[in-house]
Amino acid sequence: MEKQEDYVQFKEIIQSLPLKERKEKGYSWYPLEVLKTGYTYGERAFVEVARSKDNKEPHLFRPGKIAQLFTQQPKVNRPELGGVIHFVDKNKMKIILNSKDLPDWLSGGLIGVDLMFDDRTYVEMEKALKDVMEASGNRLAELRDVILGHQKIYSIPTSTPTLPSLNDSQNKAVQNILSSQDFAIIHGPPGTGKTTTLIQTIKLLCKTENQVLVCTPSNTAADLITERSAAVGLNVVRIGNISRVDENIIQHTLDQRLANHPESKTIKKVKIQAAECRRKAKRFKRSFGWEEKQERNVLYAEARELASWANTLEDRLIDQILSAAQVVACTFVGSTQKVLRNSNFRTVLIDEAAQALEPATWIPICKASKVVLVGDPFQLPPTVKSNKAAKLGFNKTLIEKALDYHPEVNLLNTQYRMNKVIMGFSNSMFYDDKLIAAEEVSNHQLTPETTHPLEFIDTAGCGFDEKVNAKFKSRYNPDEYNILREHLYQLLDQMGEAETPSIAIISPYREQALFIRREIKSDERLAELKISADTIDGFQGQEKEVVYISLVRSNEKGEIGFLKDYRRMNVALTRAQKKLVVIGDSATIGQDNFYSKFLDYCEKEDAYKSAWEFMQ
């Protein structure tokens, strides 16, 4: 159902549009300049392209997405070629093509790239589910039965040393994982040091296991694990596509490890020679005479021989690199790549498990003997496009199911991010008041004389009705931002000569985030400050000293739409360290029980203000 709905949305929204509209909506780049071409590992060519440096239009191209390179040159044979986006860096993009060779039309101009429908993930999810369901009498069957509560978790107590860098709940989680023989869960609420605990666990596992597989649902999360693993001295290899093009990540990718090897020049040279032989052979048409056909066959044979030699050298190097790695980091689908096809691991750690669809989570589990799920089921959920599939349970993640079956979860209970007042509401609503604010953050705030760490600014009665961008169907509220801006001005004035804190403005609505970015850029006072403006999803995993949340919704019907996703709102409410300011219409949101309780909490904490106080 999900695959069908995904495809229908793609077909209706993207495929039917002319190029001009696809560009405007962020589904196409055109025209493009070809910056670089070459060959990556395996029999794959790549191309790096760029759109105009002045182009500031938002787009939907992301690492790992399927894309199609095309040309609008007239009378071109096969004017399209598919591939996978390896990275996107501002207005540059690298695409790994589904081809041994680069298209002949690449140097002729009029080049563009389209976003395409991606069914690879669905194929891998179906394959994994089939393997899990049919597993019998093997390790996968045992893991399935343990994770789904049909068998108890089997543990052997270990004498793991207490790590002084971790707190009691973190040490307990590490010890539990090391003693478990099959399955463990780390439940890490916001700011509780989930990634720190995970990295220390990996470090200890590497002392007793040859190699550890760490998988995540996103390239961003896989990059973070790569960076943090390398920072503690582990030999980590990042497989697949990357979200950031910087030295901290690039140097650990399999591509770069291969490129840095002394033999890589030889391999590259041989691949170019093979491609040249194929190019020459293609010039001979089938209608040519016997001698031409013979020459064509000789060229193709030479190309095959050269390619085989290059592949043999490359496979040997890949084996050397992967064998030496202590940690292999990738996304779920990345774990199915050819280089890992025959690899099996003692332990797989799955980070951000609460953001992953259950079938996707099973993909890396099929490659391991022991599973550790890490995440927080009360933060960002996986995206499900089919409402029918969601109602039938497709939006319930494997970590949520496992938590139902295994009460002995490792809850990290000390958070190091938020003032206790900022933490309080989420702690009560999501974590049964089990979280404790660490002493060093419990009462921290901007300066002793500044305002309360939590504020709700109520726009009820101000007539600040939400608006809808007709093109993108996303909502925004300019008047709400005007109040936010005035509050920010006053806050900066109060701080006087004190150092400006780190500031973020986030919203559930993409259109509001884009509107705010434009407004900040044209604001003489704010443009010079480093203020992040993003959606809640875009700000996941980040934190700032001051966070503003613009709720946007304000209408007579009391419709709150996106705001109904309380897990997403939990993410927003837990990003601020010292001051959280929420701006919204109590008359609209207050009809919902969750937000009604939030308003009550703000009143109890003396954190309620009216927008009228900030009218200018």
Side-chain angles (χ1 to χ4, degrees):
M1 287 177 187
E2 177 68 7
K3 180 180 179 182
Q4 182 62 27
E5 179 63 26
D6 197 1
Y7 180 66
V8 166
Q9 288 186 22
F10 173 83
K11 198 170 183 181
E12 288 178 355
I13 295 172
I14 304 172
Q15 284 192 326
S16 60
L17 297 176
L19 178 58
K20 184 174 182 291
E21 286 189 48
R22 294 202 307 273
K23 282 174 60 181
E24 289 173 356
K25 288 182 178 288
Y27 297 114
S28 297
W29 282 8
Y30 182 87
L32 296 176
E33 176 189 358
V34 177
L35 301 178
K36 187 178 179 183
T37 60
Y39 302 89
T40 183
Y41 62 84
E43 295 189 274
R44 306 279 291 276
F46 76 80
V47 58
E48 281 186 31
V49 293
R51 61 178 184 171
S52 167
K53 290 179 181 178
D54 301 326
N55 195 328
K56 305 296 182 185
E57 284 292 315
H59 61 83
L60 297 168
F61 290 93
R62 300 290 182 270
K65 294 268 189 182
I66 300 295
Q68 182 169 265
L69 204 64
F70 66 86
T71 181
Q72 293 211 314
Q73 299 163 30
K75 298 180 182 179
V76 168
N77 184 34
R78 295 181 181 175
E80 297 152 349
L81 184 58
V84 179
I85 300 170
H86 182 58
F87 69 72
V88 181
D89 182 24
K90 296 176 183 175
N91 282 343
K92 290 195 297 185
M93 185 191 308
K94 179 178 178 179
I95 303 168
I96 310 295
L97 300 172
N98 300 329
S99 170
K100 297 177 184 179
D101 298 314
L102 297 160
D104 294 335
W105 42 259
L106 203 55
S107 59
L110 303 178
I111 306 295
V113 62
D114 281 329
L115 200 60
M116 301 301 290
F117 179 71
D118 182 4
D119 68 347
R120 292 173 314 142
T121 304
Y122 293 107
V123 169
E124 295 299 340
M125 287 197 292
E126 288 188 64
K127 182 178 181 299
L129 274 188
K130 186 178 179 184
D131 289 344
V132 173
M133 289 191 293
E134 294 179 355
S136 178
N138 59 13
R139 186 55 178 161
L140 182 57
E142 292 172 352
L143 285 176
R144 174 196 63 205
D145 292 344
V146 171
I147 294 169
L148 297 179
H150 304 307
Q151 299 288 338
K152 287 186 177 181
I153 295 173
Y154 176 54
S155 297
I156 299 175
T158 59
S159 55
T160 308
T162 299
L163 299 173
S165 60
L166 302 184
N167 63 40
D168 289 346
S169 66
Q170 292 170 331
N171 268 303
K172 186 179 177 184
V174 172
Q175 289 164 7
N176 184 265
I177 291 167
L178 295 179
S179 63
S180 173
Q181 300 303 293
D182 37 42
F183 181 56
I185 303 173
I186 298 179
H187 181 186
T192 56
K194 172 180 67 69
T195 305
T196 299
T197 307
L198 178 58
I199 295 300
Q200 291 302 320
T201 302
I202 294 168
K203 198 173 178 182
L204 289 171
L205 283 169
C206 287
K207 291 182 178 180
T208 58
E209 300 178 17
N210 290 333
Q211 207 167 60
V212 174
L213 176 65
V214 187
C215 288
T216 69
S218 71
N219 284 296
T220 303
D223 289 349
L224 177 62
I225 291 296
T226 301
E227 197 170 21
R228 295 287 293 274
S229 296
V232 297
L234 293 170
N235 181 349
V236 54
V237 175
R238 172 74 165 89
I239 305 290
N241 309 302
I242 52 176
S243 65
R244 296 204 323 269
V245 186
D246 60 46
E247 185 61 20
N248 289 340
I249 301 302
I250 288 280
Q251 64 176 319
H252 302 295
T253 62
L254 181 56
D255 304 65
Q256 194 62 34
R257 292 285 188 92
L258 281 167
N260 291 342
H261 197 281
E263 284 191 38
S264 68
K265 288 183 180 178
T266 302
I267 295 170
K268 183 178 179 181
K269 187 177 178 181
V270 174
K271 283 188 175 185
I272 291 171
Q273 288 173 345
E276 181 62 19
C277 286
R278 286 192 296 270
R279 189 180 65 79
K280 287 179 179 177
K282 285 175 185 175
R283 289 179 178 174
F284 292 100
K285 296 181 180 178
R286 294 187 181 276
S287 57
F288 280 10
W290 182 83
E291 287 184 6
E292 287 85 356
K293 287 179 182 178
Q294 283 291 98
E295 189 172 347
R296 184 187 66 186
N297 291 341
V298 167
L299 285 166
Y300 273 128
E302 188 177 346
R304 284 193 296 272
E305 190 175 322
L306 288 166
S308 176
W309 180 26
N311 289 336
T312 300
L313 289 172
E314 194 170 71
D315 289 345
R316 190 177 70 199
L317 288 189
I318 289 171
D319 284 343
Q320 287 176 11
I321 292 165
L322 289 179
S323 297
Q326 295 170 286
V327 180
V328 174
C330 58
T331 60
F332 298 157
V333 175
S335 70
T336 67
Q337 285 205 15
K338 182 183 174 184
V339 292
L340 296 178
R341 195 165 292 163
N342 299 317
S343 299
N344 287 290
F345 301 83
R346 169 75 184 100
T347 302
V348 59
L349 296 105
I350 298 175
D351 194 18
E352 305 292 4
Q355 291 185 42
L357 295 168
E358 181 187 340
T361 312
W362 287 111
I363 294 171
I365 292 174
C366 293
K367 303 183 79 68
S369 299
K370 174 177 170 179
V371 180
V372 181
L373 297 181
V374 185
D376 179 10
F378 303 118
Q379 292 191 62
L380 283 184
T383 300
V384 176
K385 295 183 179 179
S386 166
N387 292 330
K388 191 174 180 182
K391 286 176 183 175
L392 289 169
F394 196 58
N395 60 352
K396 187 162 186 177
T397 61
L398 188 59
I399 193 171
E400 287 178 90
K401 289 186 178 181
L403 284 167
D404 290 340
Y405 306 134
H406 302 286
E408 61 273 36
V409 64
N410 301 288
L411 176 70
L412 306 183
N413 64 8
T414 305
Q415 70 84 13
Y416 297 89
R417 176 184 299 162
M418 297 163 273
N419 180 292
K420 64 184 178 184
V421 176
I422 298 173
M423 175 189 80
F425 179 70
S426 286
N427 194 16
S428 171
M429 292 298 291
F430 297 100
Y431 306 108
D432 298 324
D433 286 319
K434 290 179 180 177
L435 296 188
I436 304 161
E439 189 176 344
E440 58 265 38
V441 303
S442 182
N443 294 301
H444 70 174
Q445 55 192 96
L446 296 178
T447 59
E449 63 273 11
T450 52
T451 55
H452 199 281
L454 172 67
E455 288 181 49
F456 175 75
I457 303 175
D458 191 0
T459 65
C462 296
F464 293 170
D465 290 349
E466 65 198 56
K467 302 182 187 306
V468 180
N469 181 312
K471 187 196 295 184
F472 294 104
K473 309 298 182 190
S474 183
R475 297 172 193 275
Y476 65 111
N477 196 320
D479 295 318
E480 191 171 280
Y481 170 70
N482 290 337
I483 296 297
L484 185 158
R485 180 180 58 195
E486 183 58 33
H487 182 282
L488 179 52
Y489 285 162
Q490 291 186 22
L491 179 66
L492 293 171
D493 288 341
Q494 285 174 10
M495 297 195 68
E497 297 299 315
E499 185 180 348
T500 304
S502 58
I503 302 167
I505 305 172
I506 56 179
S507 175
Y509 290 92
R510 178 173 176 264
E511 193 60 33
Q512 182 75 340
L514 293 174
F515 172 80
I516 291 170
R517 278 185 207 165
R518 290 194 295 269
E519 290 295 307
I520 290 173
K521 192 175 179 182
S522 62
D523 188 311
E524 289 183 5
R525 185 168 184 187
L526 301 181
E528 298 302 313
L529 302 177
K530 291 183 178 179
I531 299 175
S532 301
D534 212 334
T535 60
I536 296 171
D537 293 44
F539 201 66
Q540 161 79 343
Q542 300 181 62
E543 57 188 72
K544 297 289 183 185
E545 290 174 285
V546 178
V547 172
Y548 286 86
I549 304 174
S550 174
L551 297 179
V552 174
R553 300 310 296 259
S554 180
N555 55 74
E556 292 181 359
K557 295 180 180 178
E559 293 177 348
I560 63 171
F562 232 21
L563 302 188
K564 274 277 187 188
D565 190 339
Y566 308 134
R567 285 167 57 169
R568 186 168 264 104
M569 190 50 57
N570 183 38
V571 171
L573 293 169
T574 55
R575 300 301 100 193
Q577 298 167 337
K578 298 178 179 179
K579 187 170 184 66
L580 172 66
V581 183
V582 183
I583 303 171
D585 180 356
S586 66
T588 300
I589 67 170
Q591 298 177 48
D592 179 270
N593 186 51
F594 176 86
Y595 292 98
S596 176
K597 288 181 177 178
F598 176 68
L599 295 173
D600 290 344
Y601 179 77
C602 290
E603 287 200 17
K604 179 173 77 78
E605 293 292 338
D606 195 26
Y608 178 89
K609 288 193 174 183
S610 170
W612 293 101
E613 298 175 42
F614 303 94
M615 292 287 195
Q616 293 291 320

